Each structure stands twice: as C-alpha cells, then as structure tokens.
Amino acid sequence: MNQPAKTGPNRYRPLSQVANWNLETDVAIVGFGGAGACAAIEAADAGAEVVIFEAASASGGSTALSSAEIYMGGNGGTRVQQACGFNDQTEDMVTYMMMAAGPQADEAKIRNYCEQSTAHFNWLVSMGVPFRDSYHAERAIMCLTDDCLLYTGNEKAWPFASQAKPCPRGHNLQVEGDNGGPLLMKILTENVECRDNITVEYEVRALTLIADETGTVHGLVVRRDGKELNVRARGGVILCAGGFAMNEDMLRKYAPMLCAGNTPIGNPGDTGSGIEMGISVGAAAINMHEGFISLPYYPPASMTFGILVNDKGQRFINEDVYHGRLGAFALRQQSERLYFILTVEQYGDYEQVSYLGAEVAGTGETIAELESELGLRTGSLAHTLSIYNSDCERGEDREHHKAAEWLQALEPPLVALDVTPGRGAFVPFFTLGGLDTLPAGEVLTPRREIIPGLYAAGRTACGVVRRAEGYSSGMSVGDATFSGRMAGKQAAARIT
Ligand SMILES: Cc1cc2nc3c(=O)[nH]c(=O)nc-3n(C[C@H](O)[C@H](O)[C@H](O)COP(=O)(O)OP(=O)(O)OC[C@H]3O[C@@H](n4cnc5c(N)ncnc54)[C@H](O)[C@@H]3O)c2cc1C
C-alpha cells in the first residue's frame, strides 16, 4: 500500500491540495537570524503584515553565534571610516569585491551592495546598532575590544592591493570581547518585537512551499505543536533559513571539498531546508560547491612573518592574506603535508592565543635538522629559505608578493607547525552556495526567470560572497542583513 508522501522541503504542496488556509499574512518569513529579522523589519515598515516562522525557541541563528563583523564602505566612507581618516571610494570597493568573488561574481548584486553600503550602515545605526568611531590597527581575525574598524580581508595583500585601493571595511560592534553576534541579534529582535504588524512563531518549522501549476508560490506549510498548517502569504515567502553546513548528505553531494574541514560552523538549523524548498519549485541553486574554509593561523599576528610550505619545501602563497584565502589555497595543494615555518621569536605566544591548534611537527637548530625532522628532501627548504631571506633583505617578495611589512628573514632556530588539513589543526567551514536571486531578492529559475511569490536572503541565497579565497569577514553578516532588507521591501511591494 502506498504511504502518503511525508511533507518535506524537497516536494512542494500543490495549491490544488490546499483545502483551507489555517493562517494568512502578507509576508511569511522562514528563519529569524540576521536576514529574517531585517526582512521582517523592512516589510513591516512598508506596511505589510508579517509572520516569522523560526524552528528554534529563540531568534539568533548563526548570526547570533558570529562575531558580527559587518563589511561596509564605499561612497566616501561610513561615518566610522571618515572619522578614522579613510576615504573609501565605491569603485575601489566594487573592484575588490569583484576580485574576491572571481569568475562567479554577480556584478549587479555587488554594485547594489556597494552603492547602498553606507546607507546600510546608517540604517543599522538607526536600529540602535552601536559602532565606535575608532580603528583597530592590529592584524586580527576578530576584534576583542570595542573598537570598530579593522581590515578583515585581503585588501592590503597581493593581488588585491594592486588593483583596488586598500581600505578597512570590517565594522565591529561597540562591545567588549567576541560578543558582536549576540548584541546584533538582541537589537534586531527588539526592533522586530516592537512592531505591531510582525508576529513571531517560535518552535514552528517551515516544512515546504505551496505553489500552483504555473510555479507561483502562494504560501508554505509549517508544523506547529505537531500539526501541519497551511499558511497563505499574499505578498510572498522569504526564505532566510541559513546554509547547509550541518547537512552531511548535501555537503557530500554539492561541496565535497569542504569535507576536508573538521568543524562546520553555524547553528543546527543549517540543514539546507530553505535551499531545498526553493529547488522544489524550480529555483536554481548556484555556487553550491563553494564555501568558506580556513586555517586560522593568526593571532598571533607574528605568524604572518612565517612561511607556509608544502612537502617539497616550497611556498605557494603570500602569507599576509586573509586566513580563508590561505585555507582555500592549502586545500588545493597536491601535498601530503603542509608546514608553517617560523623562528622561535615569531612563534611567540602562539600556544596562548592561537585558534589554530596545529601541533609542532619539528624544530631545528639548523635548517638541515628541520628538513630531516620533517622528512623533507635535503636542501629543499634551504633553497626556499635562501630565496626568501634574500628577498627579505631587498624588502621585496619577488616570488609571492608578500607585503614588505611582513618580510623578516627566517634564521634558525626554527619551528614547524603541521597545518595539513585532517591532522589536528582547526579547519572551520560553512557553505556559500544557495538560491540564485536578483539583487532585490526574487528567486530565479535556471533560465533566470523570476518565481513569483518567492524571495531568499542571507545564506539561503547565493549572495555577494562566493568563495573562501576572496572571503572577508563581515561579508556574510553584511550580506545577510542587507539582502534581508532588500527582500523584505520587495515582498511588501507586491501587496502594498
Ligand atoms: C562562529 C561564527 C562566526 C562568524 N563570524 C562572522 C562575522 O564576524 N562576520 C560575518 O560576516 N559572518 C560571520 N559568520 C557567518 C555569518 O554569521 C552567517 O553566514 C550569517 O549570519 C547567516 O545569516 P542568515 O540570516 O542567513 O542565517 P542564520 O542567522 O543562521 O538564521 C537562519 C535561521 O533559520 C532558522 N531555520 C532554518 N531552517 C528553518 C526551517 N525549516 N523553519 C524555520 N526556521 C528555520 C534557523 O533556526 C536560524 O535561526 C560567522 C559564522 C559563525 C558560525
């Protein structure tokens, strides 16, 4: 006997099978993280009635787990950039973000993001998000003080700096410690709660979309208290359900390279259900093979003076890049082992402050001793070091273009850390693929036709950030909050 098909994200419910609506609203939002919150606020402020469905018992998602560095600039600079003496031109930001996204770049989306970036900063401030007018000069993955502005990507590194004038665009919230994400979500949640035309349904999971035979989306099915409810969304459904870092089947199917990482970072809801719902009604899921993956090798910033070599003792990257770019390059190496080589002074307080957790693989009073401990071919590391050290003396890295400020000859005694993915070092990752959307959030088919009534934002959509090798911290929360706002406005415009 045939069992009725279980309601799940892979199979939409045909409108013809909906006998009655259990709930009706103008805009239905799936997920109450950064994207969902901003979508709700904008849709509500445009006059729409909004319901957010959140599977967890509280708002937050990965946004609340994050550092909430937010990538903003251009247009002469945000208030903070200007106060700190940085004049950031939109074209420099566009060029940088286009290089960052590489061949997968969506220029329309990047331009829209950059052109409206300072306005987005002002909007966040109007919501009550605090940013101090201060600059954090130290090279860091995250700012642990309440300072605001810092370099969070590859802006100062080759090849980016040679084409786009470097400018810091990472904006850290005014809060001590790594507490930006919780504060951002607290403020956005308060803004949601104080709007009478937004209802939040916690512990209610969105199961699937409701669509007609033409492909138009009319609503969704949710599960509340064990019962399935048909929800009509007159303006549309906005999918803000995060990515798929927690879904092993989807990772293996779409992004097997990421499985080289050992720690998916995100929240338990990152199962890709929003992406699957979109696919079920004919949406294109793009860039699904890409993700953020990293070898977080600094702090201490002094690690940047070291060099990264493969099992032939050869360098393959300028080591002053962002940790995600270094991670992406590391994964591509055809090499049994990867080592970070440092002097004892550069190793410094690595054991106290590092997130990397890579073990010492060898030490050497001489280069030959280190080669022998690491099992490298005799003379291979010595050759690399002789070229590198002579370039350090010249103040110009002719091989890999590491900036002069990070060039310091490597003289024994030397230390080598084993940073081979899969051998103990912390290799965090999350996904960057998602539903193809227009800059305003409309979800597209593979032929780039709009699916009426369906929008996506944040990690569920494929946004401005497309690959680890061009990732900058802040591009995800920046994209989630900005694209959420765009989609909220657009869905509301359909009914108001
Ligand atoms: C530790 C960490 C640090 C980070 N630091 C930064 C940083 O500093 N800067 C930066 O730009 N990025 C950072 N990121 C990445 C960034 O936080 C996320 O990519 C971004 O916040 C995602 O926002 P979102 O709104 O798309 O999804 P989320 O904030 O994850 O929200 C999705 C919500 O949808 C809910 N949901 C999922 N499925 C369903 C369903 N079927 N029904 C109902 N609800 C559902 C989830 O429970 C969740 O609440 C970091 C990530 C992590 C994990």
Side-chain angles (χ1 to χ4, degrees), residues 179-322:
N179 292 310
L183 179 60
L184 177 67
M185 278 315 300
K186 177 176 176 286
I187 292 167
L188 292 176
T189 302
E190 286 164 1
N191 275 281
V192 164
E193 285 170 348
C194 72
R195 281 165 170 77
D196 292 338
N197 50 344
I198 307 179
T199 306
V200 185
E201 298 263 6
Y202 290 112
E203 296 182 25
V204 177
R205 181 174 294 280
L207 298 179
T208 196
L209 294 169
I210 296 172
D212 65 25
E213 66 284 356
T214 70
T216 298
V217 171
H218 293 267
L220 75 167
V221 183
V222 301
R223 189 172 56 223
R224 183 169 68 189
D225 297 330
K227 293 196 187 67
E228 289 187 11
L229 307 179
N230 294 319
V231 181
R232 184 176 176 212
R234 291 177 287 263
V237 175
I238 310 179
L239 299 171
C240 303
F244 59 96
M246 299 301 169
N247 184 328
E248 273 183 38
D249 290 342
M250 280 181 83
L251 281 174
R252 270 197 293 272
K253 179 172 169 185
Y254 293 113
M257 280 287 277
L258 295 180
C259 299
N262 57 11
T263 311
I265 56 168
N267 76 93
D270 277 329
T271 59
S273 63
I275 297 171
E276 289 189 312
M277 283 185 231
I279 294 172
S280 80
V281 295
I286 60 167
N287 206 39
M288 293 290 280
H289 61 296
E290 288 284 5
F292 163 89
I293 189 152
S294 153
L295 275 171
Y297 62 105
Y298 54 88
S302 61
M303 289 282 290
T304 316
F305 290 116
I307 60 169
L308 179 58
V309 298
N310 60 20
D311 59 6
K312 284 136 202 100
Q314 296 160 341
R315 289 174 76 208
F316 52 88
I317 192 167
N318 43 329
E319 297 84 358
D320 58 345
V321 291
Y322 176 73

Side-chain angles (χ1 to χ4, degrees), residues 30-36 53-56 60-63 65-69 204-206 240-242 265-267 269-270 273 277 430 457-459 471 473-478 480:
V30 179
F32 194 178
F53 298 101
E54 170 53 56
S62 300
T63 312
L65 302 174
S66 80
S67 308
E69 283 162 345
V204 177
R205 181 174 294 280
C240 303
I265 56 168
N267 76 93
D270 277 329
S273 63
M277 283 185 231
F430 58 80
R459 211 41 337 115
Y471 194 89
S473 279
M475 284 186 176
S476 290
V477 174

